[in-house]
Amino acid sequence: MAGVFDALISEILAMPVRTRLGRVGAIGRGTVMVTGLGDVAALGDRVVLGDAFGGEVVALQPEGITVLTDQSAEGLTLGAVVRLKGQAGIAPDNNWIGRVVDPFGKPLDGKALFRGPMMRPLLAAAPAAASRRSLGERLETGLAVFDTLLPVVRGQRVGLFAGSGVGKSTLLGKFARGVCSDVVVIALIGERGRELREFVERVLGPQGMARAVVVTATSDQSALIRRRCAWAAMAVAEHFRDQGLHVLLLADSVTRFAEAHREVALAGGEEASLRGYPPSVAPAITAWAERAGPGPTDSGDITAIFSVLVAGSDMEETVADILRGVLDGHVVMDRKIAERGRYPAIDLLRSVSRSLPQAATAAENADIAQARRLLGAYDRAELMIQAGLYSAGSDPLIDEAIRVWPALDAFLAEDAPEGGISGSFARLQDALSSPSQG
């Protein structure tokens, strides 16, 4: 019978023994001043205002505390009771697999869900650098290009940089179904409400949901909840990692996490500086990303794929620039490639996996280098080729690139064949040796 009552005991232990009370002293534009809690409240504490308003402490002053509310403060009155809840946390459990939850751990699929036995902090520290393992073995992904030219290894952190509407969500769904891992944790941060069900039912499907936990906050929810979604998903991933499991974390998107953090920071009085972002956005992103990756020697690993929305493929945009510096690789998706109908619309020449060359054998690295060399040659000469200005025989490398380009371009869109990674490399060799198209 051990464990039968764990969920019930956890719920009982989570009930507060006593509650500190304050009062609403002033109501401003988006923030509320609360008196009576200045000596006990801390930054980041959760509060409940009146009967239904949730909020978070974002600033402390001698005259009171500033609270950013989870929703519009309409209907809130001066003198309303404010209950201090303390630091936020989440208590994941293994029975969350296959479920959709909000950033507070409440179910969104209409079924009962109990909290786990241990409350985990949302802002946990990353594992100590000296105790972390190195990157692990190469993973099968279900996609030929990631099995070969852009390998993903256990514990790697990869950025997926893409504009809107170029197939980013579809690619994340393929990762959720195809990457070899024990558990998949998916953070949908600030997504449109209608997309949640579509992502769960169509993109993930039963195969993807069978081993997944989806943590979501929609675009109409407050910045507090959208930011919390990223932290909650990471805490859920850490719950499974600490059991020795290999966790695949898919976060969509870091840009919306940064935008939510900006709103909260500005409400707390921080000034914008980095192209409209406050200085605290950089440590917020890097601290969050550092929690993923290889775990300590006695735990599992979190392999993470973070998507970043980039307008016009601008890799120098603030969030993209911050994140790229702490990752182990980046994948760039290009709208022009999507417009000509090749999915996933990966721009291989602008994409890098820092797991290479260690993740491949000498022969495999030679094939990878040859494919990049030929694609680069074709890219440099493409305008001349399309305009009919290139004469065959002028450059042997370009001649070879023209010969193999159709097969290589098609290879970048292929699902992995039977045989996994070895089968994908066999297909790559076929593409490199493809005959002339006439």
Side-chain angles (χ1 to χ4, degrees):
M1 296 295 289
V4 172
F5 296 105
D6 284 353
L8 180 59
I9 292 172
S10 178
E11 295 287 343
I12 294 173
L13 292 177
M15 298 174 66
V17 177
R18 64 173 184 170
T19 302
R20 299 295 297 266
L21 302 178
R23 297 281 181 178
V24 174
I27 303 174
R29 293 181 178 272
T31 60
V32 175
M33 177 69 73
V34 176
T35 60
L37 295 174
D39 59 334
V40 291
L43 279 177
D45 276 354
R46 293 288 302 174
V47 299
V48 177
L49 304 95
D51 295 326
F53 291 92
E56 183 178 305
V57 178
V58 295
L60 303 172
Q61 300 95 7
E63 61 274 18
I65 63 175
T66 301
V67 172
L68 183 63
T69 58
D70 290 343
Q71 60 193 72
S72 171
E74 287 189 21
L76 190 65
T77 60
L78 293 176
V81 174
V82 179
R83 298 189 295 278
L84 183 65
K85 306 290 287 184
Q87 286 291 308
I90 193 168
D93 191 74
N94 290 4
N95 64 22
W96 287 19
I97 295 176
R99 305 296 301 275
V100 181
V101 302
D102 72 6
F104 298 92
K106 297 179 180 178
L108 294 176
D109 51 11
K111 304 174 184 177
L113 184 71
F114 287 103
R115 69 176 72 224
M118 184 180 75
M119 184 66 70
R120 305 188 69 96
L122 292 181
L123 296 176
S131 69
R132 303 185 84 158
R133 294 188 302 274
S134 300
L135 294 176
E137 71 278 4
R138 188 167 57 186
L139 301 173
E140 292 187 3
T141 64
L143 293 161
V145 63
F146 290 100
D147 280 359
T148 54
L149 302 170
L150 293 171
V152 178
V153 301
R154 178 166 173 153
Q156 188 174 358
R157 295 169 302 183
V158 180
L160 181 59
F161 298 82
S164 58
V166 298
K168 170 174 51 65
S169 295
T170 301
L171 180 56
L172 289 175
K174 288 189 174 183
F175 280 133
R177 296 189 303 271
V179 173
C180 182
S181 66
D182 298 312
V183 181
V184 181
V185 177
I186 303 170
L188 300 179
I189 308 164
E191 288 288 340
R192 292 179 287 271
R194 68 165 183 82
E195 291 185 333
L196 171 61
R197 188 166 182 177
E198 179 179 342
F199 185 85
V200 169
E201 294 182 355
R202 296 184 182 179
V203 179
L204 280 181
Q207 177 188 350
M209 278 302 297
R211 58 174 183 152
V213 180
V214 179
V215 184
T216 184
T218 53
S219 59
D220 60 323
Q221 293 180 288
S222 75
L224 287 173
I225 298 177
R226 284 181 275 127
R227 184 176 68 166
R228 182 186 171 108
C229 180
W231 290 335
M234 186 65 74
V236 173
E238 290 168 337
H239 164 78
F240 292 106
R241 178 202 65 193
D242 292 348
Q243 298 178 47
L245 300 177
H246 175 214
V247 184
L248 174 65
L249 173 66
L250 305 175
D252 187 17
S253 69
V254 179
T255 304
R256 295 193 182 107
F257 167 70
E259 291 170 348
H261 177 83
R262 175 176 59 188
E263 292 182 44
V264 176
L266 295 179
E270 194 174 351
E271 294 184 0
S273 58
L274 300 170
R275 298 187 186 179
Y277 286 96
S280 64
V281 74
I285 291 174
T286 54
W288 179 52
E290 277 293 335
R291 292 166 65 182
T297 54
D298 57 348
S299 71
D301 305 298
I302 300 175
T303 301
I305 298 176
F306 302 103
S307 78
V308 183
L309 289 168
V310 287
S313 300
D314 180 13
M315 294 292 286
E316 305 306 317
E317 183 269 336
T318 301
V319 177
D321 191 46
I322 293 170
L323 189 65
R324 192 171 66 250
V326 298
L327 297 180
D328 308 307
H330 55 271
V331 176
V332 179
M333 301 184 73
D334 191 282
R335 188 175 303 280
K336 292 180 179 179
I337 296 176
E339 287 173 348
R340 63 179 173 82
R342 197 252 281 163
Y343 293 97
I346 296 168
D347 187 340
L348 181 71
L349 298 178
R350 299 175 64 198
S351 303
V352 174
S353 173
R354 293 180 183 171
S355 65
L356 289 173
Q358 292 82 3
T361 66
E364 291 169 346
N365 277 314
D367 288 338
I368 293 170
Q370 177 69 353
R372 282 186 170 274
R373 187 181 303 113
L374 293 173
L375 287 172
Y378 187 90
D379 182 71
R380 291 188 297 273
E382 185 173 12
L383 286 178
M384 289 192 302
I385 296 169
Q386 297 297 335
L389 301 177
Y390 176 75
S391 299
S394 301
D395 186 322
L397 181 61
I398 295 178
D399 290 341
E400 186 177 2
I402 294 172
R403 175 179 63 82
V404 304
W405 186 85
L408 272 181
D409 188 63
F411 172 81
L412 298 179
E414 291 182 7
D415 290 339
E418 291 186 9
I421 292 172
S422 60
S424 294
F425 269 104
R427 279 289 304 116
L428 176 60
Q429 291 167 359
D430 291 343
L432 290 172
S433 60
S434 62
S436 173
Q437 301 298 306

